[in-house]
Amino acid sequence: MVPDPPTTSRRRLLAGFGGGVAALVGGTVALGATEPTALPDRLTDAATVHYPEPPETATLWRPTVTEAHAREAVELLAETSERADELWPRVDVDEPTILGPPVAGGWLETAREHLREEDYPRAVFDAIYGIQFAGESLGFARGKLDRVGWQALADRATSLQERARAVTTALQPYPTTVPRRDLAWYARIEQAAQVAGTKATRAVPEPDRQSEDPDPDALGEATATLLQARLYVREAERFRELLSARVDGETTPFRDRLAAVVERFRSDLAEYPGRDAVMERYFDRDADEYGPWEFAHSRLARWCFDSSRSLSVPWETTIDEELLALRAVALSIGLARRRAHGRVVDRLVVEPDDTGFDSGHTLAAKRRAQSTYRSVVGSDPSPLLVAQIGRAVEDIQVAEVRPGDPDDDRPAWRRRLKPYLYALLGRAKLQVFPPLRDAILGRE
């Protein structure tokens, strides 16, 4: 342990708590020259919140959302809400329900506002979210009034599945003019099509599980899911149209390259142990003691190693085998987590017999992570790298020591150690991504 600095120095350091935080954040207090344990937790806790952090990856790159795209999505939400509002006065509800007017839950108003402000991505987001509520209301009302059944919904699901497949089929053989840009577009298009197809598939139960007298609640949920699938498949179609306009002139097909790197990444992942084996390597989960050492290694194992070898994207959707651009990016993310694990373990300042944790380490880890972000990502990264680093950036952003809940009886070291682990992991993943990006591009 580093002894406390002299009283006069400590008073000078803490003269005005806000000034102390500003000094730490501004860098006038050199953490590299002073061990984190020389600073009081109250000061370093606050400094982790105010320390600069990476911007949202959406500000670096994302597929272009046009006004026409956003307007179409908002109009579908408005149309769904209006149709539900028209039907609800005729619905006989046996018990109170939250599905009645206003059926869009306020999302229509915010979507329209973002449309007026020309924030088209937010308008589409609001439409996708709001249509869940409006769609449930519409489907429920139709079910109560015997205006929809499983067969009609199944037909819509089939049509959406076919549209999603048509989009991804049209991407072959992944022609590119600027691979570091185009491959990110391909992955994003495939992700939207994957979600659309999966939602359409899951919306309607198999015929042998369909009731002759369908539950209005089930019809409402299916209707909402299919409407969301419609918005996602339309997003995939629009992004494909925009990419087609960008990929012109002489092109290079990337299908064979993607197929090869997918197999390589899959093989590399298979060499890593499972989550349980990693945990057993560092501590006995049945032991009575559970301190900072056990907490750190438990969290790292959970964050870096899957409980199974399945490959998923958000919304718990297993990626189709033929979606090579999306699979390559997703596999690179999974591989980055595992490679980062070893780096984080090597850098841990936690020891097996520790009973506390100093947030000065958290601040130092966040400072180093931000420095790594600047050197690896910078202000103008390639779209492909942006598609990979999203979770790593979020790790750094959430590396903040927030005040504890007065009713929380867990030890204070937990709320200081967890953001420290996030900062370490975010930094380590950023460091291992460039080679994985280059492997996808064939630039090794």
Side-chain angles (χ1 to χ4, degrees):
M1 295 288 290
V2 176
D4 288 343
T7 304
T8 53
S9 297
R10 181 176 292 275
R11 280 201 299 266
R12 190 173 296 116
L13 178 65
L14 296 178
F17 182 66
V21 173
L24 277 176
V25 173
T28 56
V29 176
L31 290 180
T34 305
E35 288 293 333
T37 47
L39 303 172
D41 281 327
R42 181 167 175 255
L43 182 62
T44 49
D45 283 355
T48 65
V49 177
H50 297 287
Y51 197 84
E53 58 192 27
E56 298 293 332
T57 54
T59 65
L60 302 175
W61 176 84
R62 62 183 167 193
T64 304
V65 177
T66 64
E67 179 183 0
H69 177 179
R71 190 171 300 281
E72 180 181 352
V74 175
E75 287 175 354
L76 179 60
L77 173 58
E79 177 185 344
T80 303
S81 300
E82 291 167 4
R83 288 156 67 190
D85 284 336
E86 291 173 0
L87 293 179
W88 262 95
R90 310 174 207 173
V91 175
D92 181 17
V93 181
D94 300 327
E95 55 187 38
T97 176
I98 63 173
L99 296 178
V103 297
W107 288 96
L108 178 57
E109 288 73 20
T110 57
R112 284 171 167 166
E113 180 180 352
H114 287 131
L115 191 61
R116 289 192 297 269
E117 295 172 349
E118 300 182 1
D119 189 347
Y120 302 134
R122 288 288 300 276
V124 171
F125 174 87
D126 292 342
I128 290 175
Y129 204 97
I131 213 160
Q132 175 182 345
F133 303 103
E136 285 182 359
S137 298
L138 178 61
F140 180 89
R142 282 177 165 174
K144 278 285 191 179
L145 299 172
D146 295 324
R147 294 194 179 190
V148 69
W150 286 125
Q151 186 56 54
L153 295 178
D155 291 342
R156 293 182 205 168
T158 299
S159 175
L160 289 168
Q161 290 164 355
E162 292 173 349
R163 285 173 62 185
R165 282 193 295 269
V167 172
T168 56
T169 299
L171 302 181
Q172 302 293 334
Y174 300 101
T176 66
T177 52
V178 184
R180 65 182 183 275
R181 176 201 68 189
D182 301 340
L183 293 178
W185 274 86
Y186 281 127
R188 187 62 186 84
I189 294 166
E190 288 182 340
Q191 185 180 57
Q194 171 78 70
V195 174
T198 301
K199 282 183 173 291
T201 300
R202 294 180 177 177
V204 181
E206 295 295 328
D208 60 350
R209 299 179 61 187
Q210 295 176 10
S211 170
E212 294 182 2
D213 185 19
D215 179 10
D217 284 314
L219 293 174
E221 184 176 350
T223 299
T225 301
L226 290 173
L227 284 167
Q228 284 189 321
R230 178 176 167 183
L231 289 177
Y232 276 113
V233 78
R234 193 69 185 109
E235 178 173 283
E237 290 169 344
R238 284 190 170 275
F239 286 167
R240 179 176 61 83
E241 293 166 1
L242 289 174
L243 178 59
S244 296
R246 286 166 168 76
V247 178
D248 55 5
E250 184 176 353
T251 63
T252 301
F254 247 75
R255 188 191 185 286
D256 290 345
R257 177 66 202 172
L258 290 173
V261 81
V262 162
E263 289 307 311
R264 172 182 160 184
F265 285 169
R266 199 198 311 266
S267 177
D268 290 347
L269 282 168
E271 296 179 0
Y272 285 88
R275 179 187 299 170
D276 290 343
V278 175
M279 286 189 175
E280 291 170 2
R281 183 184 301 170
Y282 294 102
F283 68 95
D284 181 2
R285 285 183 290 181
D286 296 327
D288 295 334
E289 295 295 327
Y290 190 82
W293 171 265
E294 290 78 13
F295 178 87
H297 285 289
S298 173
R299 284 298 189 275
L300 290 174
R302 286 168 52 188
W303 294 342
C304 298
F305 294 87
D306 296 329
S307 57
S308 67
R309 296 201 181 278
S310 64
L311 176 64
S312 300
V313 290
W315 307 283
E316 299 300 320
T317 302
T318 301
I319 300 173
D320 292 342
E321 288 288 338
E322 67 272 15
L323 305 183
L324 295 177
L326 182 59
R327 288 191 73 82
V329 171
L331 284 166
S332 75
I333 294 171
L335 197 52
R337 290 203 307 266
R338 288 157 179 78
R339 290 182 178 179
H341 181 267
R343 290 178 178 239
V344 172
V345 169
D346 289 343
R347 294 166 178 167
L348 278 178
V349 297
V350 183
E351 299 296 336
D353 58 350
D354 284 349
T355 58
F357 188 78
D358 192 311
S359 65
H361 295 297
T362 306
L363 178 59
K366 187 167 185 177
R367 176 178 59 83
R368 296 187 186 103
Q370 176 67 358
S371 176
T372 297
Y373 174 88
R374 289 193 296 266
S375 62
V376 171
V377 181
S379 60
D380 187 26
S382 70
L384 181 57
L385 183 62
V386 175
Q388 294 175 298
I389 64 173
R391 180 63 235 192
V393 169
E394 290 176 11
D395 289 340
I396 301 172
Q397 291 172 335
V398 300
E400 300 177 348
V401 182
R402 293 290 180 175
D405 186 340
D407 297 327
D408 189 353
D409 58 358
R410 290 178 296 183
W413 58 257
R414 289 174 64 107
R415 63 185 178 87
R416 295 183 172 115
L417 177 54
K418 189 173 181 179
Y420 166 74
L421 298 174
Y422 274 128
L424 285 184
L425 186 57
R427 180 191 179 204
K429 285 192 285 192
L430 288 180
Q431 290 174 323
V432 301
F433 268 126
L436 294 169
R437 173 205 56 202
D438 292 343
I440 295 173
L441 295 173
R443 298 193 320 203
E444 301 165 287

